[in-house]
Amino acid sequence: MNSPLPSSPAASVLDLAPVVPVVVVDDLADAVPLARALVAGGLPAIEVTLRTPVALDAIRAIAGEVPDAVVGAGTVVTAEQVADVVAAGARFLVSPGWTDALLEAMRGSGVPFLPGVSTTSEVVALLERGVREMKFFPAEAAGGTAYLKALSAPLPQARFCPTGGITPASAPEYLALPNVGCVGGSWMLPKDAVAGRDWERVERLARAAAGLSAGGTSR
């Protein structure tokens, strides 16, 4: 990550767990129990996307009530959102893409950030600006493991969290790449489990995801 992660045993969100859950919270009442289930399953880094009206309150609730969670904000696309999510307690930022203005706001936030990239030129531009850790999005649509493998030789200093279309079956292929620190996904949060508030099932799926590594074996 591009700045220190406060109170974290790892220097980077990319190193906390093999999978970062990408969470869409529709009902604020689900935020805390959902986060507790993910943490209990071994996935402490939780990306709450800014796609619903309750997202900011969800970040605030998780930050205040789930101390073992490292809650972050995803789908961050404006400087105003950067300020809002950090004030709510977000400990890292994830964007689907980046501009100089957004990058400046994220860099000035004081928390780690993963700007999104999908082309070699974007990666080079970020490296030029001193950013070495990035989100690769949309991973499957943008070329998947073959694309990232091709980047690893000419740009070995760049590390990625691929997100977008990744499954439990394909995650180990990404995790086997030298330039991938972790992957992002939402398969441990099936809609029926969340709707039914089946947090035990979420915890089981999170535990399976936390055990993923290159080759599909436990780390």
Side-chain angles (χ1 to χ4, degrees), residues 138-159:
E140 286 290 287
T145 55
Y147 194 97
L148 286 174
K149 184 177 181 180
L151 288 182
S152 65
L155 301 170
Q157 64 272 51
R159 291 182 78 211

Side-chain angles (χ1 to χ4, degrees), residues 112-175:
F113 56 93
L114 288 173
V117 297
S118 60
T119 70
T120 306
S121 294
E122 290 172 320
V123 176
V124 172
L126 284 177
L127 290 173
E128 230 178 45
R129 290 160 173 79
V131 178
R132 294 191 174 190
E133 296 191 349
M134 313 165 195
K135 171 180 178 174
F136 179 58
F137 176 82
E140 286 290 287
T145 55
Y147 194 97
L148 286 174
K149 184 177 181 180
L151 288 182
S152 65
L155 301 170
Q157 64 272 51
R159 291 182 78 211
F160 301 95
C161 174
T163 304
I166 298 174
T167 67
S170 63
E173 299 174 13
Y174 282 94
L175 294 169

